[in-house]
Amino acid sequence: MKFIIKLFPEITIKSAPVRKRFIKMLRRNIRTILKRVDENIDVSGVWDHVEVTTGSNDEILVAEVSDLLSHIPGIAYWLQVAEHKLISLDDILEKAVEAHSEALAGKTFCVRCNRAGKHEFQSIEVERFVGGGLNQQTEASGVSLKNPDVTVRIDIKNDRYFMTQKRGEGLGGYPLGSQEPVLSLISGGFDSTVSSFLTMKRGIRTHFCFFNLGGHAHELAVKEVAFYLWNRFGASHRVKFVTVPFEGVVEEILTKVDNSQMGVILKRMMLRAATKVADEMEMAALVTGEAIGQVSSQTLPNLAVIDSVTDALVLRPLITMDKQAIVDLSIKIGTEEFVRNIPEYCAVISKNPTTRAKEERVAAEEARFNFEVLEEAISSRRMVSIHDIIADDLTREEIEVVSEVHQGEVIVDIRHPTEEEIKPFSMPGREVMTIPFYQLRTRFPELDKSCHYLLYCEKGVMSQLHAMHLREEGHENVGVFNPKPKQ
């Protein structure tokens, strides 16, 4: 099966050298990601589009490729097409009838033709000829040039043409890696996950920094959503997940800082720590999920005082967005399902927080703070590659991973419904139940406690993270099923 990839429009207005560089990156990213499902994938194209050819026409493979293409930054939209040799207009009409007669029944339609190369006919002649033929040879209700129910797309390139069978929307943005890398401060809430997605969409290789204010369970939850973001939108590049233990910093703030100033000072401590981590990782900027006026620490005066502790560039992709718009975007990208079940944790809550922080007042409060505690937190940070994110926790909680399922054990498919629909999982003679990962925490306690459950996902990462999470909450009757364990 062949796919035609149309570039995000902003790529096409770049200078020729930049455009070629971006397209080269996009080809490489597409190839890296699609090889996860098809080792024989072929990716080509140099100027106005990219062509992807799969190793087979298997329906599941085509569905997987379609889904992955919709989540790769740099793609405006993609077309699933059938490729034919250009013989005549009669041949084009014949192929169009074969491809679209069923879809046109009872529908209005129009024909759109894009043509490149030298031919004895114009694009409009193709549209009229094929449109007239389809109107006569199918059960279409008629032609509608302005608001058709179905658009028949034909792309002619020199001596071949492509008949579009399906169209899918892409993310837009720039190819990942086309911009300098950044370090995103991620808490697991709506704002930080959406801001991380937006930088990834813009082609920025986004690493993650989590400040643990207290609790291994919260850290696991944030790792889950960070892995999801990377696996869904940025898997063409490897990134790091950094955990900074901030319990001691929180204790210092609670015992030595005036209540009204605690929120601003906590943010300043986070920026100080993130700046040092970013400098050592050679990151170009920091990313936060702050939006003007959303909470007390995010007023303009407070943000100015917070930013004054660092010379690093601080990017705030959500700065003018409404909360509902942020939530809506989180629903669209799939992070809302995590956040609803993983509330943000914050041990520093002021009763009467300042909305107009003063540099001199904050400096006076920080003078009582023991900065050795902050330095200790920075030096105690843990850094792991996102694709090996579970390795950091396996030493603390050994999770049973099995490749065989015994009688009486139940497999729990925790994949996202979209993934489960594309590639259903079953095992003859064994019970398989479906509980999406974002419902595990609420539904697992309702299951039969005398039964042993094995969590399943495609790569085994999310299943191990969730198994650890459930173990943290006292559920001992859970393990992981991986039919192809690593050797």
Side-chain angles (χ1 to χ4, degrees):
M1 181 60 66
K2 184 178 287 291
F3 294 83
I4 303 296
I5 311 301
K6 296 297 184 178
L7 309 177
F8 178 55
E10 287 184 29
I11 297 175
T12 65
I13 62 175
K14 299 294 183 184
S15 65
V18 173
R19 180 172 176 174
K20 289 180 180 179
R21 178 166 60 88
F22 278 23
I23 294 173
K24 182 178 180 181
M25 287 182 175
L26 181 58
R27 288 202 314 269
R28 183 175 63 238
N29 294 349
I30 292 173
R31 187 179 297 110
T32 298
I33 290 175
L34 295 190
K35 277 187 175 293
R36 292 159 51 180
V37 297
D38 183 5
E39 281 291 335
N40 298 314
I41 204 80
D42 180 71
V43 183
S44 60
V46 293
W47 188 247
D48 63 343
H49 71 280
V50 174
E51 294 183 15
V52 172
T53 306
T54 63
S56 78
N57 292 328
D58 176 74
E59 289 186 5
I60 293 179
L61 173 61
V62 171
E64 288 181 306
V65 170
S66 301
D67 181 61
L68 291 172
L69 288 176
S70 292
H71 298 90
I72 298 176
I75 296 175
Y77 63 91
W78 52 264
L79 303 172
Q80 180 182 325
V81 302
E83 182 178 3
H84 305 284
K85 182 176 178 58
L86 180 58
I87 300 174
S88 66
L89 295 185
D90 288 316
D91 180 70
I92 296 177
L93 173 58
E94 180 182 340
K95 297 297 192 300
V97 171
E98 292 176 1
H100 298 285
S101 59
E102 184 176 338
L104 291 180
K107 305 282 184 65
T108 61
F109 76 96
C110 73
V111 178
R112 293 287 180 253
C113 176
N114 293 316
R115 187 178 57 85
K118 295 182 178 180
H119 305 94
E120 297 179 350
F121 49 80
Q122 301 296 316
S123 297
I124 193 170
E125 294 178 70
V126 178
E127 295 173 352
R128 289 172 176 170
F129 184 84
V130 175
L134 288 172
N135 199 32
Q136 294 177 354
Q137 299 180 36
T138 70
E139 297 180 3
S141 63
V143 175
S144 175
L145 299 181
K146 290 187 176 181
N147 296 299
D149 296 322
V150 178
T151 299
V152 176
R153 301 181 185 277
I154 302 170
D155 287 270
I156 300 175
K157 305 291 183 183
N158 298 316
D159 62 348
R160 56 181 180 155
Y161 69 94
F162 305 97
M163 190 75 64
T164 299
Q165 299 175 326
K166 184 178 179 181
R167 173 186 167 121
E169 297 303 314
L171 280 183
Y174 293 145
L176 197 65
S178 60
Q179 312 299 316
E180 287 70 20
V182 298
L183 184 66
S184 180
L185 282 60
I186 186 168
S187 66
F190 287 111
D191 303 335
S192 63
T193 52
V194 171
S195 62
S196 299
F197 161 74
L198 289 175
T199 55
M200 296 165 72
K201 175 184 174 182
R202 198 62 179 173
I204 303 172
R205 187 176 181 180
T206 302
H207 301 257
F208 302 98
C209 183
F210 168 64
F211 291 93
N212 194 336
L213 306 183
H216 184 213
H218 185 216
E219 180 181 344
L220 280 176
V222 176
K223 283 182 174 179
E224 289 170 2
V225 72
F227 178 85
Y228 171 84
L229 282 168
W230 169 78
N231 189 54
R232 193 62 166 156
F233 306 107
S236 58
H237 290 69
R238 294 192 172 188
V239 301
K240 301 292 186 180
F241 185 97
V242 182
T243 300
V244 183
F246 241 47
E247 297 94 333
V249 174
V250 168
E251 183 179 354
E252 275 288 298
I253 291 175
L254 289 172
T255 56
K256 297 182 178 179
V257 171
D258 182 84
N259 183 278
S260 65
Q261 310 296 312
M262 290 194 305
V264 169
I265 289 177
L266 176 62
K267 292 292 182 69
R268 283 164 63 95
M269 296 300 172
M270 288 180 173
L271 274 196
R272 287 185 173 107
T275 298
K276 190 161 185 177
V277 173
D279 286 344
E280 294 183 11
M281 295 176 67
E282 299 183 346
M283 301 287 105
L286 304 176
V287 178
T288 74
E290 291 153 323
I292 286 292
Q294 188 178 118
V295 296
S296 60
S297 65
Q298 296 175 16
T299 62
L300 283 175
N302 286 1
L303 290 176
V305 171
I306 291 170
D307 282 3
S308 67
V309 301
T310 181
D311 292 328
L313 174 64
V314 181
L315 303 177
R316 294 184 169 93
L318 312 182
I319 196 65
T320 62
M321 289 182 66
D322 298 330
K323 187 65 175 184
Q324 189 56 53
I326 296 170
V327 173
D328 290 345
L329 185 50
S330 75
I331 294 172
K332 182 178 180 180
I333 65 176
T335 57
E336 182 263 354
E337 295 155 338
F338 290 88
V339 179
R340 291 293 185 193
N341 292 279
I342 310 171
E344 289 193 64
Y345 175 89
C346 184
V348 179
I349 301 177
S350 300
K351 294 181 180 178
N352 297 295
T354 181
T355 58
R356 299 187 66 82
K358 303 294 184 183
E359 191 76 45
E360 57 274 12
R361 171 69 188 280
V362 171
E365 294 294 328
E366 288 185 346
R368 296 193 291 272
F369 186 93
N370 181 4
F371 277 86
E372 290 183 1
V373 175
L374 178 63
E375 292 301 320
E376 174 63 22
I378 297 172
S379 62
S380 300
R381 69 186 183 274
R382 297 189 307 278
M383 183 185 301
V384 295
S385 296
I386 195 78
H387 60 284
D388 289 329
I389 203 168
I390 60 172
D392 189 45
D393 296 275
L394 289 179
T395 55
R396 288 184 257 178
E397 182 75 56
E398 186 65 33
I399 298 298
E400 175 192 20
V401 181
V402 301
S403 58
E404 295 182 1
V405 182
H406 298 107
Q407 193 69 36
E409 293 182 319
V410 177
I411 300 172
V412 183
D413 187 343
I414 69 167
R415 293 175 298 167
H416 191 280
T418 300
E419 186 179 358
E420 193 273 333
E421 182 181 357
I422 291 174
K423 199 172 183 179
F425 177 81
S426 64
M427 178 175 283
R430 298 292 182 265
E431 181 181 354
V432 178
M433 62 189 307
T434 300
I435 303 179
F437 57 84
Y438 50 85
Q439 294 180 358
L440 268 179
R441 293 187 68 193
T442 56
R443 291 181 57 184
F444 196 86
E446 301 172 357
L447 301 181
D448 184 354
K449 293 180 175 56
S450 65
C451 187
H452 191 69
Y453 298 92
L454 299 173
L455 307 187
Y456 166 77
C457 67
E458 189 73 20
K459 295 184 179 298
V461 177
M462 291 293 286
S463 53
Q464 290 192 60
L465 283 170
H466 279 280
M468 283 188 283
H469 203 157
L470 291 171
R471 288 287 186 93
E472 286 272 335
E473 296 185 346
H475 303 288
E476 298 296 329
N477 59 330
V478 60
V480 171
F481 171 60
N482 185 351
K484 297 179 181 179
K486 294 182 179 180
Q487 300 297 321

